[in-house]
Amino acid sequence: MRPARIIIDTDPGQDDAVAILLALASPEEVEVLGITAVAGNVPLALTARNARMVCELAGKTDVPVLAGCDAPLSRPLVTAEHVHGKTGLDGIELPAPQMPLAEGHAVDFIVETLRREPAGSITLVTIGPLTNIATAFRQAPDIIPRVARIVMMGGAYFEVGNITPAAEFNIYVDPEAAAEVFAAGVPLVVMPLDVTHKALTTRPRVEAFRALGTRVGTAVAAWTDFFERFDKEKYGSEGAPLHDPCTIAWLIRPELFTGREINVEIETEGSFTLGMTVADWWRVSGRAPNALFIGDVDAEGFFALLTERLARL
Ligand code: BDR
Ligand code: CA
């Protein structure tokens, strides 16, 4: 099978960084055409910098990295330094990036790539707030039917929320953008907290990264050690959820995951529920399905895949 040709839209973030590494390590299954940075976990200047640091760590400096939107469509930016640290990639000090940002705006890159490449050949992998994607869809609605699918980390149903009691971070930061993307009619594969909270970085899994004995293995172990402290305290869990790499893992080995085709709507008004993904898991609304909403993962298989692929870098 030909690799999925993807653009990764991201706000690195340690778990974004691991997702990028997994993609760059898996050229048989995914070809990364570009990485588009968006404001999210930390402001845009840092996410655009971190994305390049991750490419350099992987030794893949030929992938274009572009800076995109620095704030949500119609709200002030909410960031998550309390989880990811001041830089977004706290846990290990990496050298400042040498590779420059690619010229131009990330939104233009998304539009131009989708217009240039054959319709249905490009997958958007979104692992941050959906501002760049919604902006591209607003500016160039002709690209919407050209998107093969969107594979997204975002939302929750059974796990409800992480940044508020009702909302997951990526959706909460830009709910208007999320609502537009969910309504666009593009095939969607959604990795909500319901599944990512099953992909936990237990001690043996982190030690397996460290035992690779490579710069990549050391960095991934240090990052997971760093953001674990917050989640362990919050959830009392054995480790931290490795959210974003679930998207790339689904492209490589979809059989590791199970989910349901359901309707998902985004709450953009609720004073307590802003950014909630109202997921009709039990199919009670009568609304047409618009997403494959993933609910479960073979966590052992997921971490085995991740470790095997990171060993290649
Ligand atoms: C999502 O929010 C960010 O903090 C993570 O990088 C992930 O994309 C999890 O809610
Ligand atoms: Ca992210």
Side-chain angles (χ1 to χ4, degrees):
M1 235 180 55
R2 293 185 56 202
R5 308 181 72 217
I6 68 172
I7 296 172
I8 304 179
D9 192 67
T10 177
D11 62 338
Q14 294 90 348
D15 61 323
D16 301 73
V18 180
I20 294 168
L21 292 173
L22 177 59
L24 294 176
S26 306
E28 296 90 353
E29 295 94 353
V30 287
E31 182 189 348
V32 184
L33 301 186
I35 298 177
T36 51
V38 68
N41 285 322
V42 285
L44 180 68
L46 286 170
T47 61
R49 182 176 194 267
N50 292 347
R52 288 177 287 148
M53 282 160 52
V54 174
C55 290
E56 289 186 358
L57 177 67
K60 311 271 181 190
T61 50
D62 51 346
V63 180
V65 176
L66 296 101
C69 299
D70 63 1
L73 295 181
S74 52
R75 295 174 186 276
L77 178 65
V78 175
T79 53
E81 285 88 354
H82 59 295
V83 183
H84 300 275
K86 214 163 163 299
T87 66
L89 284 186
D90 279 23
I92 188 167
E93 195 138 342
L94 292 176
Q98 299 298 306
M99 67 185 273
L101 277 172
E103 265 177 42
H105 195 283
V107 168
D108 295 331
F109 175 82
I110 293 168
V111 171
E112 283 158 20
T113 306
L114 280 157
R115 283 183 175 159
R116 186 185 63 236
E117 300 298 330
S121 69
I122 303 294
T123 293
L124 302 176
V125 176
T126 69
I127 53 179
L130 289 151
T131 320
N132 285 343
I133 308 300
T135 305
F137 286 3
R138 279 184 179 190
Q139 275 179 22
D142 58 291
I143 65 172
I144 296 173
R146 302 180 70 81
V147 180
R149 64 161 68 95
I150 296 174
V151 185
M152 168 192 305
M153 191 281 135
Y157 177 62
F158 294 97
E159 292 285 311
V160 199
N162 58 0
I163 186 75
T164 75
E168 181 280 329
F169 181 79
N170 290 341
I171 306 294
Y172 178 77
V173 171
D174 200 342
E176 284 75 19
E180 291 181 24
V181 170
F182 274 80
V186 175
L188 277 177
V189 179
V190 180
M191 295 290 162
L193 297 179
D194 308 334
V195 63
T196 67
H197 281 184
K198 293 171 182 157
L200 291 180
T201 57
T202 60
R203 204 39 29 213
R205 290 168 181 167
V206 176
E207 291 315 320
F209 297 143
R210 207 183 312 276
L212 294 176
T214 58
R215 284 185 69 221
V216 165
T218 306
V220 172
W223 285 332
T224 42
D225 274 345
F226 179 86
F227 73 73
E228 261 191 3
R229 88 215 179 286
F230 172 80
D231 283 300
K232 277 173 153 170
E233 201 174 298
K234 180 172 166 194
Y235 297 112
S237 55
E238 218 193 321
L242 210 41
H243 306 281
D244 293 339
C246 289
T247 55
I248 304 292
W250 184 86
L251 285 167
I252 301 173
R253 291 201 47 201
E255 67 278 10
L256 291 173
F257 298 87
T258 53
R260 292 186 181 192
E261 295 279 353
I262 60 167
N263 177 270
V264 182
E265 303 292 336
I266 309 297
E267 178 57 59
T268 56
E269 282 167 16
S271 42
F272 295 108
T273 53
L274 183 69
M276 186 172 197
T277 42
V278 181
D280 188 7
W281 184 260
W282 302 113
R283 301 191 181 110
V284 292
S285 70
R287 293 189 285 261
N290 59 352
L292 172 59
F293 202 77
I294 303 296
D296 210 351
V297 59
D298 166 0
E300 282 304 325
F302 167 78
F303 277 93
L305 171 73
L306 185 54
T307 312
E308 175 224 312
R309 294 304 165 97
L310 293 178
R312 296 174 172 187
L313 295 173

